[in-house]
Amino acid sequence: MNRKTITCKINGVQKEFLVDPDTRLQTVLRDQGYASVKFGCGEGACGACTIIMNGEAVYSCILYAFQADGQEIWTTEGVGSLDKPHPFQQALVEEGAVQCGFCIPGMIMSAKALLDREPDPSEEEIRLSMDGNICRCTGYEKIWTALHKVIAQGKGRES
Amino acid sequence: MKKETFSVVNHSVLKIDGLQLALGRKSYVADLKPSDALYVKMLWSPHAHAEITSIDIRKAETMPGVRCVLCHTNTPRNIHCTAGQGFPEPSPYDTFMFDKKVRYVGDRVAAVAAETPEQAEEALKTIEVTYNLLEPVFTVDRALEPDAPIIHDEPEAHIPIPVPYEPEHNIVAKVGMEAGEFDQALAQADYSFDYTYETPYAQHCPIETYISMAHIDARGRVVVETSTQVPFHARRIIARTLGIPVRQIRVIKPRIGGGFGSKQEMLLEDVVALMALRTGRHVIWQLTRAENFRTGRTRHPIRLRIRTGVQKDGTLSALGMDAINNTGAYGGHGLTVVSCCGSKVLPLYRCDNIHFDARVVYTNLPVGGAYRGFGATQAFFAVETQIDEMAEAIGMDPLVFRQKNHIRTGDGSPVFQALGEGKEGTPMTIGSCALDQCILQGAAAIGWERRTPHTEKTGRYRTGIGMCCLMQGSSVPEIDMGAAAIKMNDDGSFNLTIGATDLGTGSDTVLGQIAAEALRTTIDQMIVYSSDTDLTPFDVGAYASSTTYLSGEAVRKAAVKVLNQILGVAAEMLEVPAESLEARESTVFSADGRQATYSEICLYALYQKNQFQIMDSASHITHKSPPPFAAHFVELELDTFTGCIKLLQYVATVDCGTAINPKLAEGQTEGGVMNGLSYALTEQYLFDSRGKMTNASFHNYHIWSMRDKPILKTILVPSYEETGPFGAKSVSEICINGPAPAINNALYNAAGIRLREFPFTPERVWNELQKKQA
Ligand code: FES
Ligand code: FES
């Protein structure tokens, strides 16, 4: 197989990987230790693997690693830390929106892509932007509340 | 309600693992995988019912990267039950690690461990299997016919408890009870009703699929890190399946990505454990989403015939349920699920004449298991639909009819005594019931007074308002046990170790709150560690709505013992009798105003005089299973041209006793309702003619997203359950039971139709509308 070296910026750091043409971006990211990129379906239907690539929230499980060559990627690891969580991460915790937590990094990336683009989105924009992330635990109420809290505080664009 | 002022309990403290998970830190099984782990892939049966006449794995064993191949010719043949239940299980032993026979599309045939997942896949293709196809059994009716193929004809199949088990008739279990004179009461009722309902297959769909990883530690023991709800049962079942001693096995549950009952099962652990033993390597196995649907556990489809009688004055005179539970190819949880159709549903309304008869039947379809609601979900759909119908027949508001008949504090029910887990139940008097308040507050929130009869509604779009009442239980009395240990540290913090299993519900937080409350300290002083068979005490695990009520009481008892030790040391330090001391805010105060902080007390105990470790443990079993109660209300708009249902608002009230953590209790309610809504409206298993599920993907099996979210209002209605920790009962399961019956009743209120089957797809609803018009 034609392995190829790709370079991309992940969470602000330049990285280089040798990858096979059929390797998915999700697999590469997980293998490189970006554990926030979850496997929920592997077929672009749950959102657990959502990352931000060039400002857009995308499913990393249905992208080939090759497609990330030269691109700029953000994962949840790059969004906040124990000392300085992103306001949405903080709000999720405060609102009790994290149950099993498996969907949460993906939710964060979809929300961040939205808020970075539009800090004060309409209800419809929120519903559409978050439609690709499914959560089986929360019923979405508290995630919804957390998102609105961040928007109301005008903290949407902070990171 | 008892008034107590709590400082930690009944407060929405932050979930202790919330931030780590929101940051995406390595927490789940897949995150713990070392880079050199072997990957497992399974060859699944393509046939619903067949004998394996030959299997050749020699080629696979020589394929690149392959390190281990397992099938029935080279694995232990120890009959067992995969259901994670108490021991001996109320479920048949009808499963081998690998068998010579396959019983559903998705049964195990052979497994490969290889250096990469792709190599494992390639190797699977080289395994040669010949099958002798047998007639598949796809309906419970066929399964019960005298000439039906026998699905479990292996001589080893048996049930380890004294209950009927007739595999030669495809019967997994039979259970029933009678109270009063049911037949007579039904015959003499002013109105009687007899309808049959069918509930569908569904899957839990945790976003993390089943996953397990095993390795061999330095001493040669096998360590299994697994996404399980039942680490201690898993250890016992792995030991039995592999024929190795329990002491050789350590099971650890890290954070897990949801379970909802599906992981109350030992499904992957035996394979990774045996492969680790054979290869000495880390071995990891995660199911794909399609595998999770096809071979993972499901909600048992149940046929329910409900016969009821009612008097003109609204007295419920006869209540009968005949249930046939399709347990699929294996029988785990079949008996207990169907028992809960009776035990968690029939007591909700006062009635003197009760009949319950249930059977559990094998078919060659996916395997039923434990699923949040556990039989009550299925039965409430039927019973709460029929309750509405009875109210209608006597011209009574269905809300008033429920108010008149529902169980109350101080009531018992013959059902509690008659139906247990594979044996008789436990007599019980209801100690806490705020269902009356649930109904009133829910009615006010939805605007029940706006409800008009369907006969007054015209036009294409019609709104309807419906309701239902619900109950569940809290733990399995006299059977389930939870234990806790608490150890004090020199800064005044505490290690709380529990066998209880947090599957995302927040039980680690809730149990930490209970300990902190009883220890008179704060949640940040609690270091909670759970679900590790080497390091934590035993617990049956996360099921039967037991953790808060059962394990919580073990935690509270252990905390009280530790507090007494703390007071004893403080008494020695302050030279006053322990009885004169008072503890609050991590400090012990004497009557004369002196004090010792918890840190000073622990340092004294560890280093200064009469040294010892302040620590203790406690176990708890329960003698009753106090039900939480709920009243659910829904308002919808029905498009009578298309059969499409639009939810306008949903109100869920729930009485869970003291909510130890109100936000987490709300979260359980909201999540349960949302799952119940998509179960009622969109989720279904579709099969081809060979018994293969055809929509095993989130693309075609629709679970709801934020876009589908209706307006949902949750109301926690407090009561105080004397037997629970700080007045708590359970909350995790009950609310999934509401949407199907509430929506069905709202459909009636909108257009006068009642469905006996769901999901309420537009097609099904539209057909019902046409039937009504005809
Ligand atoms: S894992 Fe990528 S969308 Fe589900
Ligand atoms: S919190 Fe469990 S899937 Fe969303």
Side-chain angles (χ1 to χ4, degrees), chain B residues 173-326:
Chain B
K174 291 180 184 167
V175 58
M177 65 153 292
E178 301 292 329
E181 299 290 340
F182 173 75
D183 290 330
Q184 201 183 325
L186 190 67
Q188 291 171 356
D190 289 342
Y191 297 90
S192 64
F193 305 82
D194 181 352
Y195 288 106
T196 298
Y197 303 78
E198 301 272 355
T199 69
Y201 265 112
Q203 228 261 336
H204 318 65
C205 300
I207 307 302
E208 177 197 47
T209 57
Y210 290 94
I211 180 168
S212 297
M213 178 167 70
H215 72 275
I216 307 301
D217 75 7
R219 275 194 277 163
R221 296 169 73 229
V222 57
V223 181
V224 184
E225 291 163 294
T226 183
S227 183
T228 183
Q229 297 175 223
V230 285
F232 286 88
H233 295 334
R235 180 178 66 169
R236 192 188 74 236
I237 303 169
I238 296 167
R240 180 183 175 93
T241 305
L242 301 190
I244 62 176
V246 161
R247 66 177 175 276
Q248 279 296 104
I249 306 165
R250 175 180 181 187
V251 174
I252 302 170
K253 179 223 66 113
R255 303 331 290 169
I256 78 172
F260 316 107
S262 64
K263 295 169 182 174
Q264 192 194 334
E265 204 83 26
M266 193 287 299
L267 280 194
L268 273 56
E269 291 88 344
D270 55 336
V271 170
V272 290
L274 186 59
M275 286 179 158
L277 284 164
R278 294 212 173 152
T279 62
R281 301 272 299 273
H282 269 82
V283 178
I284 191 164
W285 184 18
Q286 175 162 30
L287 296 192
T288 65
R289 183 54 60 186
E291 290 172 331
N292 212 78
F293 274 115
R294 293 207 175 98
T295 83
R297 294 305 180 243
T298 61
R299 188 185 291 287
H300 292 93
I302 302 181
R303 178 183 299 165
L304 295 133
R305 179 181 179 200
I306 309 294
R307 287 177 292 162
T308 48
V310 64
Q311 303 303 110
K312 284 191 183 116
D313 66 356
T315 307
L316 182 59
S317 54
L319 179 55
M321 179 187 289
D322 295 87
I324 304 180
N325 181 9
N326 171 8

Side-chain angles (χ1 to χ4, degrees), chain B residues 46 150 281 432 572 595 624 672 676:
Chain B
I150 301 172
R281 301 272 299 273
S432 59
E572 190 177 309
Q595 62 185 65
K624 60 195 285 194

Side-chain angles (χ1 to χ4, degrees), chain A residues 97-104 134-138 143, chain B residues 207 257-258 260:
Chain A
V98 183
Q99 286 194 28
C100 83
F102 207 76
C103 69
I104 294 293
I134 53 179
C135 171
R136 194 59 154 173
C137 298
T138 64
I143 299 174
Chain B
I207 307 302
F260 316 107

Side-chain angles (χ1 to χ4, degrees), chain B residues 11 16 28 62 79 96 132 226 228 233 256 268 277 303 324 353 361 380 428 441 483 512 526 572 597 662-663 699 734:
Chain B
H11 288 65
I16 56 180
Y28 303 89
T62 62
I79 193 117
F96 300 101
N132 174 28
T226 183
T228 183
H233 295 334
I256 78 172
L268 273 56
L277 284 164
R303 178 183 299 165
I324 304 180
N353 306 296
V361 177
F380 269 121
M428 173 169 71
Q441 293 186 28
M526 302 306 309
E572 190 177 309
T597 65
K663 273 202 175 140
H699 288 298
I734 180 168

Side-chain angles (χ1 to χ4, degrees), chain B residues 478-667:
Chain B
E478 312 292 349
I479 292 180
D480 288 352
M481 190 274 275
I486 298 175
K487 172 167 75 76
M488 194 176 195
N489 299 314
D490 35 8
D491 62 349
S493 66
F494 299 89
N495 292 102
L496 167 64
T497 53
I498 47 215
T501 305
D502 188 338
L503 58 151
T505 51
S507 67
D508 282 355
T509 306
V510 162
L511 297 177
Q513 284 179 264
I514 291 170
E517 182 73 45
L519 286 164
R520 316 281 164 83
T521 184
T522 46
I523 186 73
D524 57 318
Q525 298 301 315
M526 302 306 309
I527 306 159
V528 185
Y529 184 71
S530 57
S531 315
D532 178 333
T533 59
D534 267 13
L535 301 183
T536 67
F538 176 87
D539 191 288
V540 288
Y543 60 87
S545 283
S546 65
T547 305
T548 300
Y549 178 72
L550 168 82
S551 314
E553 188 58 13
V555 168
R556 196 195 60 81
K557 281 157 68 173
V560 167
K561 287 179 171 179
V562 169
L563 180 65
N564 283 334
Q565 292 183 15
I566 292 170
L567 293 173
V569 175
E572 190 177 309
M573 291 167 72
L574 301 171
E575 296 176 316
V576 290
E579 303 73 57
S580 70
L581 295 170
E582 197 205 337
R584 59 176 192 272
E585 292 166 16
S586 298
T587 308
V588 176
F589 298 88
S590 67
D592 59 10
R594 287 176 303 138
Q595 62 185 65
T597 65
Y598 278 11
S599 175
E600 289 163 353
I601 292 167
C602 189
L603 285 167
Y604 181 92
L606 290 176
Y607 296 110
Q608 286 165 26
K609 200 168 160 208
N610 298 324
Q611 288 89 328
F612 77 109
Q613 168 72 64
I614 296 176
M615 66 185 293
D616 219 321
S617 65
S619 303
H620 189 64
I621 60 167
T622 69
H623 305 298
K624 60 195 285 194
S625 179
F629 295 95
H632 285 196
F633 295 79
V634 67
E635 181 173 16
L636 54 77
E637 181 186 83
L638 173 65
D639 180 345
T640 55
F641 285 15
T642 63
C644 282
I645 295 167
K646 182 171 159 196
L647 297 181
L648 302 176
Q649 54 167 334
Y650 196 100
V651 176
T653 66
V654 61
D655 154 24
C656 61
T658 303
I660 300 291
N661 187 313
K663 273 202 175 140
L664 295 181
E666 286 169 15

Side-chain angles (χ1 to χ4, degrees), chain A residues 26 38-49 59-62:
Chain A
Q26 175 187 43
K38 305 296 183 205
F39 172 88
C41 70
E43 54 192 24
C46 78
C49 65
Y59 295 150
S60 61
C61 71
I62 49 170

